[in-house]
Amino acid sequence: MDERELLLLGLLSFQSQHGYQINEFIERNLARVTSMKKATAYAILDRLARDGYASVHTEQAGNRPPRKVYALTPRGEERFRELLRQSLVDPGESAIPGDVGLMFLDQLPRDEVIEGLRMRLARVDEQIAELEQVPPHGHGIGVDLAVEHKLVLLRADRDWLRGVITRLDAGSD
Amino acid sequence: MDERELLLLGLLSFQSQHGYQINEFIERNLARVTSMKKATAYAILDRLARDGYASVHTEQAGNRPPRKVYALTPRGEERFRELLRQSLVDPGESAIPGDVGLMFLDQLPRDEVIEGLRMRLARVDEQIAELEQVPPHGHGIGVDLAVEHKLVLLRADRDWLRGVITRLDAGSD
DNA sequence: TTTTCCATGTAACTCGTTACATGATTTC
DNA sequence: GAAATCATGTAACGAGTTACATGGAAAA
């Protein structure tokens, strides 16, 4: 159920890592996937170790601060697969925000609505353009599927937005 | 930025209401739009009054518990329009959950993945069927647009899921 | 020499949910 | 007579974020 835990387990399933390393990776490469903050990641890693899903051993490189390296235990791998299965079946309610706003759309002058939706459309277009430039990932199809999924939904949103704007434009005679 | 506040302001923009009334309405008709809990709604209504966005006066019908009836003030109406404009332009990051799971999809045996996605597809199909039976709302196009929007995204999700399953099926020879 | 990097954490805070309290009144 | 309805709230809890502390090393 918990996407954050799943993410950390997944990252550890590739290789053992220490918290700082994981946080760097998330910040650099996964900013659009998760918004988990560093303190949270440290806390969850701690919890994973307490629950027996990960083992910890401390490493020291030269005179640097000691690192706590986490490695998945067999139980942790099982936990990972369990959460993964769950997340495939039930990704959780995809809270589509903004629909509350749509509901009250009639309370606003039509041109303000159109202007607002145009700005929204522009942002969606940007996101699409950005995602389209993400190169294929290579290692398995999972990551590529995730990107593709986001793209598909964004394009559907874009097309719908265009349609709505057109209709509103036509109706404002 | 706050969808809950926008929702309450919007409901009050139709007519003055007391908290219990609003909560009932939300529970009965807006369960799929918001998951806001009663205590939260009471608290936000309180805040709206404190901030001058709503006026409060207490009514008593017979021997029943007194009602605190909230009505939008002019400032409240302005606030409502302001939040509404914002929400049209920037509905907020549509957290698409489950994409974390997709990323790690290669770590699971292909038939488990396919089975999981089939179950997911079935649930999406159900949601679509359910939404397709919602009758047109009549009062303005806003509510209908919100439903339509959700439908469009669900259908895009469904089509994508079908495609992925087909591809995985083909690849598992 | 000041800033940034490394690496981990803690303490305070925010926001929302859960569960409960209240007390009359209507319904089963 | 027991249970649900009406109507509002409070207190405790949980999860996550923010901001900060630490202290040596490398980079500017």
Side-chain angles (χ1 to χ4, degrees):
Chain A
M1 271 255 185
D2 181 6
E3 287 244 316
R4 298 161 206 271
E5 186 178 335
L6 176 59
L7 177 62
L8 294 183
L9 288 170
L11 292 178
L12 288 180
S13 82
F14 287 130
Q15 56 169 326
S16 305
Q17 296 179 71
H18 58 276
Y20 188 87
Q21 202 178 353
I22 288 183
N23 274 322
E24 285 296 288
F25 185 80
I26 289 176
E27 196 174 46
R28 298 218 169 107
N29 309 313
L30 302 179
R32 54 167 81 81
V33 172
T34 185
S35 56
M36 179 170 46
K37 296 306 183 283
K38 310 192 181 192
T40 311
Y42 281 122
I44 295 181
L45 285 173
D46 222 53
R47 199 183 66 204
L48 290 179
R50 269 208 320 279
D51 294 349
Y53 298 134
S55 63
V56 203
H57 71 105
T58 306
E59 273 183 9
Q60 186 125 15
N63 234 338
R64 312 246 170 153
R67 307 163 163 175
K68 291 174 70 176
V69 179
Y70 295 84
L72 280 198
T73 63
R75 277 195 61 204
E77 291 174 28
E78 187 39 55
R79 170 77 170 170
F80 169 53
R81 269 181 249 112
E82 174 60 25
L83 286 185
L84 185 46
R85 265 180 244 118
Q86 276 184 35
S87 134
L88 286 183
V89 174
D90 178 16
E93 280 315 306
S94 57
I96 301 172
D99 279 1
V100 170
L102 287 178
M103 283 175 28
F104 299 119
L105 176 144
D106 303 279
Q107 321 262 331
L108 221 56
R110 207 180 255 105
D111 22 332
E112 281 188 44
V113 172
I114 294 176
E115 197 199 328
L117 292 182
R118 284 228 172 86
M119 292 171 104
R120 178 167 170 175
L121 176 57
R123 295 164 134 268
V124 173
D125 278 331
E126 277 173 35
Q127 288 181 61
I128 291 177
E130 201 184 326
L131 270 190
E132 276 172 343
Q133 280 169 6
V134 174
H137 184 269
H139 287 293
I141 56 172
V143 176
D144 296 332
L145 274 184
V147 172
E148 187 188 293
H149 187 221
K150 215 164 186 174
L151 258 177
V152 161
L153 294 185
L154 279 172
R155 291 203 186 104
D157 201 21
R158 176 195 60 191
D159 295 342
W160 175 79
L161 268 174
R162 283 183 182 157
V164 172
I165 292 173
T166 305
R167 272 183 279 166
L168 287 176
D169 261 334
S172 63
D173 297 333
Chain B
M1 270 253 185
D2 182 6
E3 286 244 316
R4 298 162 206 271
E5 185 178 337
L6 175 59
L7 177 62
L8 293 183
L9 288 170
L11 291 178
L12 288 179
S13 83
F14 288 129
Q15 57 170 327
S16 304
Q17 297 179 69
H18 58 275
Y20 188 87
Q21 203 177 354
I22 288 183
N23 273 323
E24 285 295 290
F25 185 79
I26 289 176
E27 196 174 48
R28 297 218 171 108
N29 310 312
L30 301 180
R32 53 166 82 81
V33 172
T34 185
S35 55
M36 180 171 44
K37 297 303 183 284
K38 311 193 179 190
T40 311
Y42 281 122
I44 295 181
L45 285 173
D46 221 53
R47 199 185 66 205
L48 290 178
R50 269 207 320 278
D51 295 349
Y53 298 134
S55 63
V56 204
H57 71 106
T58 306
E59 273 184 5
Q60 185 126 16
N63 234 338
R64 309 225 161 195
R67 308 163 163 176
K68 290 175 70 173
V69 178
Y70 295 84
L72 280 198
T73 62
R75 277 196 62 204
E77 290 174 27
E78 188 39 55
R79 169 78 171 169
F80 170 53
R81 269 181 249 110
E82 174 60 24
L83 286 185
L84 186 45
R85 264 181 244 117
Q86 277 184 35
S87 129
L88 285 183
V89 174
D90 178 16
E93 280 314 307
S94 57
I96 300 172
D99 279 1
V100 171
L102 287 178
M103 284 176 27
F104 299 119
L105 177 144
D106 301 279
Q107 321 262 329
L108 220 57
R110 205 180 256 105
D111 21 330
E112 279 188 46
V113 171
I114 293 177
E115 197 199 327
L117 292 182
R118 283 228 172 86
M119 291 171 106
R120 178 167 170 176
L121 175 57
R123 294 163 135 271
V124 172
D125 278 330
E126 277 173 35
Q127 288 182 62
I128 291 176
E130 201 186 325
L131 269 189
E132 275 173 343
Q133 281 170 4
V134 174
H137 183 268
H139 287 294
I141 55 172
V143 176
D144 296 332
L145 274 184
V147 173
E148 186 187 294
H149 186 221
K150 215 164 186 175
L151 258 178
V152 161
L153 294 186
L154 279 173
R155 291 203 187 104
D157 202 20
R158 176 195 59 189
D159 295 342
W160 175 80
L161 267 174
R162 282 182 183 159
V164 172
I165 292 173
T166 305
R167 272 183 279 165
L168 287 177
D169 261 334
S172 63
D173 296 334

mmCIF file of all heavy atoms in Angstrom, chain A residues 16-53:
data_model
loop_
_atom_site.group_PDB
_atom_site.id
_atom_site.type_symbol
_atom_site.label_atom_id
_atom_site.label_comp_id
_atom_site.label_asym_id
_atom_site.label_seq_id
_atom_site.Cartn_x
_atom_site.Cartn_y
_atom_site.Cartn_z
ATOM 1 N N SER A 16 22.582 -2.850 -2.830
ATOM 2 C CA SER A 16 22.643 -2.318 -1.470
ATOM 3 C C SER A 16 23.135 -0.875 -1.520
ATOM 4 O O SER A 16 24.004 -0.539 -2.320
ATOM 5 C CB SER A 16 23.602 -3.151 -0.619
ATOM 6 O OG SER A 16 23.218 -4.505 -0.658
ATOM 7 N N GLN A 17 22.547 -0.048 -0.703
ATOM 8 C CA GLN A 17 22.913 1.361 -0.733
ATOM 9 C C GLN A 17 22.781 1.975 0.653
ATOM 10 O O GLN A 17 22.089 1.452 1.502
ATOM 11 C CB GLN A 17 21.989 2.123 -1.681
ATOM 12 C CG GLN A 17 22.102 1.707 -3.135
ATOM 13 C CD GLN A 17 21.148 2.491 -4.010
ATOM 14 O OE1 GLN A 17 21.332 3.671 -4.241
ATOM 15 N NE2 GLN A 17 20.107 1.817 -4.476
ATOM 16 N N HIS A 18 23.412 3.085 0.838
ATOM 17 C CA HIS A 18 23.197 3.822 2.083
ATOM 18 C C HIS A 18 22.236 4.985 1.814
ATOM 19 O O HIS A 18 21.995 5.363 0.661
ATOM 20 C CB HIS A 18 24.507 4.319 2.689
ATOM 21 C CG HIS A 18 25.318 5.204 1.799
ATOM 22 N ND1 HIS A 18 26.181 4.731 0.840
ATOM 23 C CD2 HIS A 18 25.394 6.542 1.712
ATOM 24 C CE1 HIS A 18 26.762 5.733 0.230
ATOM 25 N NE2 HIS A 18 26.290 6.852 0.727
ATOM 26 N N GLY A 19 21.700 5.510 2.880
ATOM 27 C CA GLY A 19 20.613 6.482 2.782
ATOM 28 C C GLY A 19 20.937 7.684 1.916
ATOM 29 O O GLY A 19 20.141 8.070 1.049
ATOM 30 N N TYR A 20 22.083 8.241 2.129
ATOM 31 C CA TYR A 20 22.460 9.442 1.388
ATOM 32 C C TYR A 20 22.463 9.178 -0.108
ATOM 33 O O TYR A 20 21.938 9.972 -0.903
ATOM 34 C CB TYR A 20 23.838 9.903 1.836
ATOM 35 C CG TYR A 20 24.261 11.237 1.283
ATOM 36 C CD1 TYR A 20 23.915 12.413 1.925
ATOM 37 C CD2 TYR A 20 25.001 11.322 0.104
ATOM 38 C CE1 TYR A 20 24.293 13.638 1.423
ATOM 39 C CE2 TYR A 20 25.390 12.538 -0.403
ATOM 40 C CZ TYR A 20 25.040 13.696 0.255
ATOM 41 O OH TYR A 20 25.414 14.901 -0.254
ATOM 42 N N GLN A 21 23.015 8.026 -0.457
ATOM 43 C CA GLN A 21 23.089 7.600 -1.856
ATOM 44 C C GLN A 21 21.685 7.510 -2.462
ATOM 45 O O GLN A 21 21.425 8.029 -3.552
ATOM 46 C CB GLN A 21 23.751 6.217 -1.855
ATOM 47 C CG GLN A 21 24.400 5.802 -3.135
ATOM 48 C CD GLN A 21 25.074 4.426 -2.979
ATOM 49 O OE1 GLN A 21 25.141 3.885 -1.865
ATOM 50 N NE2 GLN A 21 25.561 3.878 -4.069
ATOM 51 N N ILE A 22 20.801 6.874 -1.748
ATOM 52 C CA ILE A 22 19.429 6.728 -2.215
ATOM 53 C C ILE A 22 18.762 8.092 -2.373
ATOM 54 O O ILE A 22 18.103 8.368 -3.376
ATOM 55 C CB ILE A 22 18.630 5.855 -1.228
ATOM 56 C CG1 ILE A 22 19.085 4.393 -1.356
ATOM 57 C CG2 ILE A 22 17.141 5.988 -1.469
ATOM 58 C CD1 ILE A 22 18.309 3.441 -0.494
ATOM 59 N N ASN A 23 18.970 8.939 -1.394
ATOM 60 C CA ASN A 23 18.360 10.266 -1.459
ATOM 61 C C ASN A 23 18.878 11.075 -2.645
ATOM 62 O O ASN A 23 18.109 11.776 -3.308
ATOM 63 C CB ASN A 23 18.609 11.027 -0.150
ATOM 64 C CG ASN A 23 17.563 10.709 0.892
ATOM 65 O OD1 ASN A 23 16.382 10.549 0.574
ATOM 66 N ND2 ASN A 23 17.974 10.597 2.143
ATOM 67 N N GLU A 24 20.168 10.960 -2.899
ATOM 68 C CA GLU A 24 20.732 11.646 -4.055
ATOM 69 C C GLU A 24 20.075 11.155 -5.344
ATOM 70 O O GLU A 24 19.657 11.940 -6.197
ATOM 71 C CB GLU A 24 22.243 11.383 -4.147
ATOM 72 C CG GLU A 24 23.069 12.149 -3.142
ATOM 73 C CD GLU A 24 22.982 13.646 -3.374
ATOM 74 O OE1 GLU A 24 23.560 14.120 -4.365
ATOM 75 O OE2 GLU A 24 22.316 14.336 -2.566
ATOM 76 N N PHE A 25 19.986 9.830 -5.447
ATOM 77 C CA PHE A 25 19.414 9.231 -6.654
ATOM 78 C C PHE A 25 17.979 9.697 -6.862
ATOM 79 O O PHE A 25 17.582 10.069 -7.973
ATOM 80 C CB PHE A 25 19.465 7.707 -6.548
ATOM 81 C CG PHE A 25 19.010 7.008 -7.784
ATOM 82 C CD1 PHE A 25 19.855 6.876 -8.872
ATOM 83 C CD2 PHE A 25 17.717 6.500 -7.883
ATOM 84 C CE1 PHE A 25 19.440 6.246 -10.028
ATOM 85 C CE2 PHE A 25 17.288 5.873 -9.039
ATOM 86 C CZ PHE A 25 18.156 5.746 -10.114
ATOM 87 N N ILE A 26 17.223 9.692 -5.792
ATOM 88 C CA ILE A 26 15.820 10.121 -5.896
ATOM 89 C C ILE A 26 15.739 11.578 -6.326
ATOM 90 O O ILE A 26 14.975 11.943 -7.220
ATOM 91 C CB ILE A 26 15.101 9.926 -4.547
ATOM 92 C CG1 ILE A 26 14.906 8.431 -4.271
ATOM 93 C CG2 ILE A 26 13.757 10.651 -4.534
ATOM 94 C CD1 ILE A 26 14.301 8.116 -2.930
ATOM 95 N N GLU A 27 16.559 12.401 -5.714
ATOM 96 C CA GLU A 27 16.512 13.834 -6.020
ATOM 97 C C GLU A 27 16.911 14.106 -7.470
ATOM 98 O O GLU A 27 16.311 14.929 -8.151
ATOM 99 C CB GLU A 27 17.439 14.590 -5.065
ATOM 100 C CG GLU A 27 17.173 16.086 -5.029
ATOM 101 C CD GLU A 27 18.025 16.756 -3.958
ATOM 102 O OE1 GLU A 27 19.235 16.454 -3.900
ATOM 103 O OE2 GLU A 27 17.484 17.560 -3.171
ATOM 104 N N ARG A 28 17.889 13.380 -7.948
ATOM 105 C CA ARG A 28 18.396 13.635 -9.291
ATOM 106 C C ARG A 28 17.528 13.023 -10.379
ATOM 107 O O ARG A 28 17.312 13.620 -11.422
ATOM 108 C CB ARG A 28 19.816 13.064 -9.422
ATOM 109 C CG ARG A 28 20.811 13.701 -8.469
ATOM 110 C CD ARG A 28 22.180 13.895 -9.139
ATOM 111 N NE ARG A 28 23.021 14.736 -8.271
ATOM 112 C CZ ARG A 28 24.047 14.272 -7.550
ATOM 113 N NH1 ARG A 28 24.390 13.006 -7.621
ATOM 114 N NH2 ARG A 28 24.758 15.090 -6.798
ATOM 115 N N ASN A 29 17.051 11.791 -10.121
ATOM 116 C CA ASN A 29 16.402 11.061 -11.214
ATOM 117 C C ASN A 29 14.912 10.805 -11.027
ATOM 118 O O ASN A 29 14.222 10.510 -11.988
ATOM 119 C CB ASN A 29 17.096 9.709 -11.407
ATOM 120 C CG ASN A 29 18.600 9.850 -11.537
ATOM 121 O OD1 ASN A 29 19.085 10.692 -12.285
ATOM 122 N ND2 ASN A 29 19.324 9.060 -10.784
ATOM 123 N N LEU A 30 14.442 10.877 -9.805
ATOM 124 C CA LEU A 30 13.062 10.468 -9.575
ATOM 125 C C LEU A 30 12.186 11.596 -9.068
ATOM 126 O O LEU A 30 11.140 11.369 -8.470
ATOM 127 C CB LEU A 30 13.024 9.300 -8.585
ATOM 128 C CG LEU A 30 13.806 8.068 -9.010
ATOM 129 C CD1 LEU A 30 13.730 6.980 -7.963
ATOM 130 C CD2 LEU A 30 13.281 7.548 -10.345
ATOM 131 N N ALA A 31 12.620 12.818 -9.319
ATOM 132 C CA ALA A 31 11.884 13.962 -8.792
ATOM 133 C C ALA A 31 10.437 13.956 -9.281
ATOM 134 O O ALA A 31 9.530 14.364 -8.564
ATOM 135 C CB ALA A 31 12.576 15.255 -9.193
ATOM 136 N N ARG A 32 10.210 13.469 -10.507
ATOM 137 C CA ARG A 32 8.836 13.524 -10.992
ATOM 138 C C ARG A 32 8.047 12.277 -10.606
ATOM 139 O O ARG A 32 6.851 12.216 -10.824
ATOM 140 C CB ARG A 32 8.788 13.745 -12.504
ATOM 141 C CG ARG A 32 9.575 12.757 -13.331
ATOM 142 C CD ARG A 32 9.196 12.868 -14.811
ATOM 143 N NE ARG A 32 9.859 13.957 -15.520
ATOM 144 C CZ ARG A 32 11.107 13.898 -16.014
ATOM 145 N NH1 ARG A 32 11.837 12.839 -15.807
ATOM 146 N NH2 ARG A 32 11.623 14.908 -16.685
ATOM 147 N N VAL A 33 8.717 11.293 -10.067
ATOM 148 C CA VAL A 33 8.026 10.085 -9.642
ATOM 149 C C VAL A 33 7.552 10.191 -8.194
ATOM 150 O O VAL A 33 6.464 9.783 -7.848
ATOM 151 C CB VAL A 33 8.938 8.844 -9.801
ATOM 152 C CG1 VAL A 33 8.290 7.627 -9.176
ATOM 153 C CG2 VAL A 33 9.238 8.608 -11.266
ATOM 154 N N THR A 34 8.401 10.746 -7.360
ATOM 155 C CA THR A 34 8.048 10.848 -5.949
ATOM 156 C C THR A 34 8.493 12.194 -5.407
ATOM 157 O O THR A 34 9.375 12.837 -5.952
ATOM 158 C CB THR A 34 8.736 9.738 -5.128
ATOM 159 O OG1 THR A 34 8.290 9.801 -3.783
ATOM 160 C CG2 THR A 34 10.241 9.905 -5.159
ATOM 161 N N SER A 35 7.865 12.598 -4.341
ATOM 162 C CA SER A 35 8.254 13.850 -3.705
ATOM 163 C C SER A 35 8.723 13.571 -2.287
ATOM 164 O O SER A 35 8.758 14.463 -1.451
ATOM 165 C CB SER A 35 7.078 14.818 -3.706
ATOM 166 O OG SER A 35 5.973 14.221 -3.067
ATOM 167 N N MET A 36 9.070 12.339 -2.045
ATOM 168 C CA MET A 36 9.521 11.953 -0.712
ATOM 169 C C MET A 36 10.741 12.763 -0.286
ATOM 170 O O MET A 36 11.670 12.949 -1.070
ATOM 171 C CB MET A 36 9.853 10.458 -0.692
ATOM 172 C CG MET A 36 10.352 9.984 0.658
ATOM 173 S SD MET A 36 10.474 8.180 0.741
ATOM 174 C CE MET A 36 11.297 7.810 -0.799
ATOM 175 N N LYS A 37 10.725 13.225 0.912
ATOM 176 C CA LYS A 37 11.823 14.046 1.414
ATOM 177 C C LYS A 37 12.874 13.194 2.121
ATOM 178 O O LYS A 37 12.602 12.074 2.532
ATOM 179 C CB LYS A 37 11.262 15.111 2.356
ATOM 180 C CG LYS A 37 10.328 16.106 1.663
ATOM 181 C CD LYS A 37 11.022 16.742 0.463
ATOM 182 C CE LYS A 37 10.159 17.791 -0.211
ATOM 183 N NZ LYS A 37 9.107 17.228 -1.059
ATOM 184 N N LYS A 38 14.053 13.769 2.255
ATOM 185 C CA LYS A 38 15.182 12.984 2.776
ATOM 186 C C LYS A 38 14.910 12.436 4.174
ATOM 187 O O LYS A 38 15.151 11.251 4.430
ATOM 188 C CB LYS A 38 16.437 13.855 2.792
ATOM 189 C CG LYS A 38 16.669 14.544 1.462
ATOM 190 C CD LYS A 38 18.033 15.176 1.351
ATOM 191 C CE LYS A 38 18.142 15.860 -0.012
ATOM 192 N NZ LYS A 38 19.484 16.280 -0.392
ATOM 193 N N ALA A 39 14.461 13.286 5.039
ATOM 194 C CA ALA A 39 14.217 12.823 6.408
ATOM 195 C C ALA A 39 13.271 11.633 6.405
ATOM 196 O O ALA A 39 13.445 10.686 7.181
ATOM 197 C CB ALA A 39 13.645 13.959 7.247
ATOM 198 N N THR A 40 12.301 11.676 5.528
ATOM 199 C CA THR A 40 11.335 10.573 5.437
ATOM 200 C C THR A 40 12.021 9.291 4.983
ATOM 201 O O THR A 40 11.778 8.212 5.536
ATOM 202 C CB THR A 40 10.222 10.942 4.454
ATOM 203 O OG1 THR A 40 9.740 12.247 4.775
ATOM 204 C CG2 THR A 40 9.082 9.960 4.524
ATOM 205 N N ALA A 41 12.888 9.410 3.987
ATOM 206 C CA ALA A 41 13.584 8.232 3.487
ATOM 207 C C ALA A 41 14.441 7.617 4.590
ATOM 208 O O ALA A 41 14.410 6.399 4.803
ATOM 209 C CB ALA A 41 14.444 8.600 2.291
ATOM 210 N N TYR A 42 15.183 8.436 5.293
ATOM 211 C CA TYR A 42 15.990 7.921 6.398
ATOM 212 C C TYR A 42 15.114 7.176 7.402
ATOM 213 O O TYR A 42 15.452 6.086 7.871
ATOM 214 C CB TYR A 42 16.721 9.070 7.111
ATOM 215 C CG TYR A 42 17.965 9.539 6.382
ATOM 216 C CD1 TYR A 42 18.099 10.856 5.976
ATOM 217 C CD2 TYR A 42 19.002 8.653 6.122
ATOM 218 C CE1 TYR A 42 19.248 11.289 5.317
ATOM 219 C CE2 TYR A 42 20.154 9.080 5.470
ATOM 220 C CZ TYR A 42 20.267 10.399 5.064
ATOM 221 O OH TYR A 42 21.395 10.818 4.414
ATOM 222 N N ALA A 43 13.997 7.754 7.725
ATOM 223 C CA ALA A 43 13.107 7.135 8.711
ATOM 224 C C ALA A 43 12.593 5.790 8.214
ATOM 225 O O ALA A 43 12.564 4.814 8.978
ATOM 226 C CB ALA A 43 11.951 8.071 9.017
ATOM 227 N N ILE A 44 12.201 5.739 6.944
ATOM 228 C CA ILE A 44 11.651 4.491 6.425
ATOM 229 C C ILE A 44 12.731 3.412 6.346
ATOM 230 O O ILE A 44 12.491 2.246 6.660
ATOM 231 C CB ILE A 44 11.003 4.723 5.042
ATOM 232 C CG1 ILE A 44 9.794 5.650 5.189
ATOM 233 C CG2 ILE A 44 10.581 3.401 4.415
ATOM 234 C CD1 ILE A 44 9.064 5.924 3.903
ATOM 235 N N LEU A 45 13.940 3.816 5.935
ATOM 236 C CA LEU A 45 15.043 2.845 5.907
ATOM 237 C C LEU A 45 15.245 2.257 7.301
ATOM 238 O O LEU A 45 15.432 1.045 7.465
ATOM 239 C CB LEU A 45 16.331 3.539 5.427
ATOM 240 C CG LEU A 45 16.380 3.834 3.928
ATOM 241 C CD1 LEU A 45 17.606 4.661 3.589
ATOM 242 C CD2 LEU A 45 16.376 2.531 3.134
ATOM 243 N N ASP A 46 15.208 3.121 8.282
ATOM 244 C CA ASP A 46 15.315 2.674 9.663
ATOM 245 C C ASP A 46 14.244 1.641 9.982
ATOM 246 O O ASP A 46 14.512 0.597 10.566
ATOM 247 C CB ASP A 46 15.133 3.895 10.578
ATOM 248 C CG ASP A 46 16.112 3.871 11.718
ATOM 249 O OD1 ASP A 46 17.327 3.738 11.437
ATOM 250 O OD2 ASP A 46 15.678 3.954 12.881
ATOM 251 N N ARG A 47 13.039 1.947 9.559
ATOM 252 C CA ARG A 47 11.916 1.059 9.848
ATOM 253 C C ARG A 47 12.094 -0.281 9.134
ATOM 254 O O ARG A 47 11.820 -1.339 9.701
ATOM 255 C CB ARG A 47 10.621 1.727 9.365
ATOM 256 C CG ARG A 47 9.368 1.160 9.991
ATOM 257 C CD ARG A 47 8.132 1.814 9.402
ATOM 258 N NE ARG A 47 7.963 1.498 7.980
ATOM 259 C CZ ARG A 47 7.279 2.256 7.127
ATOM 260 N NH1 ARG A 47 6.740 3.386 7.538
ATOM 261 N NH2 ARG A 47 7.152 1.885 5.865
ATOM 262 N N LEU A 48 12.555 -0.226 7.884
ATOM 263 C CA LEU A 48 12.780 -1.461 7.131
ATOM 264 C C LEU A 48 13.755 -2.370 7.873
ATOM 265 O O LEU A 48 13.561 -3.585 7.947
ATOM 266 C CB LEU A 48 13.335 -1.135 5.737
ATOM 267 C CG LEU A 48 12.368 -0.479 4.760
ATOM 268 C CD1 LEU A 48 13.059 -0.192 3.432
ATOM 269 C CD2 LEU A 48 11.156 -1.372 4.540
ATOM 270 N N ALA A 49 14.793 -1.756 8.445
ATOM 271 C CA ALA A 49 15.772 -2.546 9.190
ATOM 272 C C ALA A 49 15.125 -3.115 10.453
ATOM 273 O O ALA A 49 15.269 -4.302 10.761
ATOM 274 C CB ALA A 49 16.964 -1.667 9.542
ATOM 275 N N ARG A 50 14.389 -2.288 11.160
ATOM 276 C CA ARG A 50 13.726 -2.761 12.386
ATOM 277 C C ARG A 50 12.802 -3.925 12.105
ATOM 278 O O ARG A 50 12.685 -4.863 12.892
ATOM 279 C CB ARG A 50 12.910 -1.617 13.014
ATOM 280 C CG ARG A 50 13.648 -0.775 14.022
ATOM 281 C CD ARG A 50 12.681 -0.169 15.042
ATOM 282 N NE ARG A 50 11.432 0.301 14.441
ATOM 283 C CZ ARG A 50 11.269 1.456 13.813
ATOM 284 N NH1 ARG A 50 12.304 2.274 13.686
ATOM 285 N NH2 ARG A 50 10.116 1.798 13.325
ATOM 286 N N ASP A 51 12.122 -3.859 10.958
ATOM 287 C CA ASP A 51 11.142 -4.897 10.628
ATOM 288 C C ASP A 51 11.781 -6.134 10.005
ATOM 289 O O ASP A 51 11.081 -7.075 9.636
ATOM 290 C CB ASP A 51 10.083 -4.332 9.669
ATOM 291 C CG ASP A 51 9.237 -3.251 10.333
ATOM 292 O OD1 ASP A 51 9.350 -3.101 11.568
ATOM 293 O OD2 ASP A 51 8.467 -2.577 9.629
ATOM 294 N N GLY A 52 13.083 -6.099 9.842
ATOM 295 C CA GLY A 52 13.760 -7.280 9.308
ATOM 296 C C GLY A 52 13.716 -7.386 7.798
ATOM 297 O O GLY A 52 14.035 -8.435 7.241
ATOM 298 N N TYR A 53 13.319 -6.328 7.129
ATOM 299 C CA TYR A 53 13.289 -6.354 5.666
ATOM 300 C C TYR A 53 14.640 -5.978 5.065
ATOM 301 O O TYR A 53 14.898 -6.229 3.895
ATOM 302 C CB TYR A 53 12.216 -5.408 5.125
ATOM 303 C CG TYR A 53 10.824 -5.789 5.559
ATOM 304 C CD1 TYR A 53 9.930 -4.832 6.038
ATOM 305 C CD2 TYR A 53 10.395 -7.109 5.490
ATOM 306 C CE1 TYR A 53 8.650 -5.186 6.448
ATOM 307 C CE2 TYR A 53 9.128 -7.474 5.895
ATOM 308 C CZ TYR A 53 8.262 -6.501 6.370
ATOM 309 O OH TYR A 53 7.009 -6.865 6.771
#
